[in-house]
Amino acid sequence: MVEVTQLGSGRRWLMLALGVFAQTSSSIFIHGTPFLLPALTARGDSLASAGALVALPTVGLVCTLIAWGYVVDRIGERIVLVAGTLLMFVAGVAAAVVDNPVAFGVLLFVGGIGAASSNGASGRVIVGWFPPDRRGLAMGIRQTAQPLGVGIAALTIPWVAAHHGIPAAMLVPALMAGVAAIGCLVGIIDPPRPAAKAADRANPYRGGDSTLWRIHSVSILLVVPQATLWTFGLLWLHVDLGWSLAAAGALMTVTQFLGAAGRIGAGAWSDRVGSRLGPLRQVAIGAAVAMAALTITAWTDWWWAAVPLMVAASVISVSDNGLAFTAVAEIAGPFWSGRGLGIQNTGQNLAIAAVPPLFGAVITATGFPVVYALAALAAVAAVPLVPSGSRK
């Protein structure tokens, strides 16, 4: 087994790049499907039913995140990354050629299963190979995969769906997943694990320490503003403000790239202050304030303020993920972090899966400002739940 001290810095960054690429393809598959909403509603689907369809990849993901985490804890990261991205490739290519809507939905679900593999495995590679004083920055870079994936999806999937059909749009994440499978097969090395002690193998969720459960709860609440803006931001710009799909997609792409930079900054900030949870609390406060301000300006039709606030809220609302993800991996330890990260992502993605159908129905009945207000309340509820004390 290769030791940490024997691995060159360049190889660490190469594996980080491969992890980012694999997670980006996963992000496009999971979070890019909501950008099919204009095409689905244009063909006659209701917003609620279309929202349920585009949530299927997330359903597949949440059903298997903990199982993938268990496999990572048992057999390592490389095999899981290769197997999952390959499954996503096969499902995406199949979805691009089928005509049956039921089969298309099933393939979205299967692709979500494959996409789940990279969530814990790529994070474990980073925690295993990077030292603690660089880990926040490295994990922040890794977490840019999510907003980068959403940004790429916003730029490509609506255009492909409009010009070549909905199934063809699924080739975007599928081809990326195929490249990722090859890259992970060649370039990933499983990080070494310390000699196992009884204490190291103990279940960190037992014994009365609620730190991990509180972090999971905070992340679930903070993902509601994030998912709301990802899912309905483009539709709000198009329907309420009258923007073209091209212009709305371009702005959504810019916000995601800015969000990626925000995750890197948050990770570097946590390294500098030696804490993941302190910055996490500040991000929660910022998300609550930004979403409340967006609610007011969207309600009053102050578009000149609402659009910049939507951008700001999009950036702030994604900045917490890397902080919470790193904290869970560090606190859970090398023999439980796969399952810990699986639980972390399961809770978040259950919330993401619920947002399109539930908030789609709310928007149909009341309009966009109400769901922005609900998202702001979720961020407010997260603030007091952030753990305090000596734990990172």
Side-chain angles (χ1 to χ4, degrees):
M1 177 176 288
V2 179
E3 298 292 334
V4 175
T5 55
Q6 296 174 334
L7 190 73
S9 176
R11 189 57 185 268
R12 289 192 186 96
W13 290 102
L14 172 62
M15 287 192 285
L16 172 58
L18 288 171
V20 169
F21 192 84
Q23 188 63 30
T24 299
S25 64
S26 171
S27 178
I28 295 175
F29 205 110
I30 297 298
H31 304 299
T33 48
F35 293 111
L36 293 173
L37 282 174
L40 290 169
T41 55
R43 77 179 186 184
D45 293 15
S46 69
L47 186 56
S49 64
L53 181 63
V54 301
L56 282 172
T58 302
V59 175
L61 179 138
V62 299
C63 287
T64 53
L65 276 168
I66 298 175
W68 280 117
Y70 179 82
V71 175
V72 170
D73 286 336
R74 291 293 180 179
I75 68 173
E77 295 80 5
R78 179 171 173 265
I79 293 176
V80 169
L81 281 169
V82 173
T85 50
L86 186 60
L87 178 60
M88 187 165 45
F89 167 74
V90 172
V93 170
V97 299
V98 299
D99 293 324
N100 186 286
V102 175
F104 182 70
V106 170
L107 289 166
L108 290 181
F109 178 83
V110 173
I113 293 175
S117 66
S118 64
N119 281 265
S122 63
R124 282 266 306 237
V125 168
I126 293 167
V127 171
W129 283 121
F130 282 84
D133 61 344
R134 302 295 297 277
R135 197 175 289 155
L137 173 62
M139 191 68 83
I141 294 172
R142 182 265 185 192
Q143 293 296 100
T144 64
Q146 196 173 40
L148 286 175
V150 176
I152 293 170
L155 196 62
T156 58
I157 286 180
W159 186 90
V160 174
H163 290 81
H164 302 287
I166 294 171
M170 298 309 301
L171 283 176
V172 177
L175 295 178
M176 285 189 65
V179 175
I182 297 171
C184 291
L185 177 65
V186 174
I188 294 293
I189 301 173
D190 287 346
R193 301 189 191 186
K197 301 176 183 178
D200 294 329
R201 292 190 179 275
N203 187 340
Y205 291 93
R206 295 177 180 171
D209 188 347
S210 63
T211 300
L212 286 173
W213 288 119
R214 291 180 67 176
I215 295 173
H216 296 327
S217 299
V218 168
S219 296
I220 290 171
L221 289 167
L222 289 182
V223 86
V224 174
Q226 187 180 131
T228 300
L229 294 173
W230 282 350
T231 305
F232 299 110
L234 183 144
L235 202 62
W236 172 66
L237 291 168
H238 179 59
V239 173
D240 272 20
L241 303 189
W243 288 32
S244 69
L245 285 176
L251 180 63
M252 293 300 294
T253 300
V254 170
T255 63
Q256 295 306 314
F257 289 147
L258 292 174
R263 291 190 178 197
I264 296 173
W269 175 21
S270 73
D271 284 340
R272 188 175 304 112
V273 301
S275 171
R276 318 298 176 200
L277 301 181
L280 179 61
R281 182 177 294 104
Q282 297 303 314
V283 169
I285 294 171
V289 172
M291 288 304 303
L294 175 59
T295 300
I296 295 170
T297 53
W299 195 290
T300 56
D301 292 325
W302 294 349
W303 64 265
W304 49 270
V307 172
L309 281 168
M310 189 271 287
V311 174
S314 297
V315 173
I316 295 169
S317 67
V318 301
S319 298
D320 67 285
N321 292 59
L323 299 171
F325 206 72
T326 308
V328 168
E330 291 175 333
I331 294 169
F335 299 100
W336 269 86
S337 58
R339 280 162 283 187
L341 294 174
I343 294 170
Q344 168 78 3
N345 280 311
T346 297
Q348 286 184 300
N349 284 285
L350 282 172
I352 290 172
V355 164
L358 294 180
F359 279 15
V362 173
I363 290 170
T364 301
T366 64
F368 290 93
V370 173
V371 299
Y372 293 158
L374 293 174
L377 290 175
V380 170
V383 175
L385 288 176
V386 179
S388 59
S390 60
R391 301 299 292 272
K392 282 192 172 186

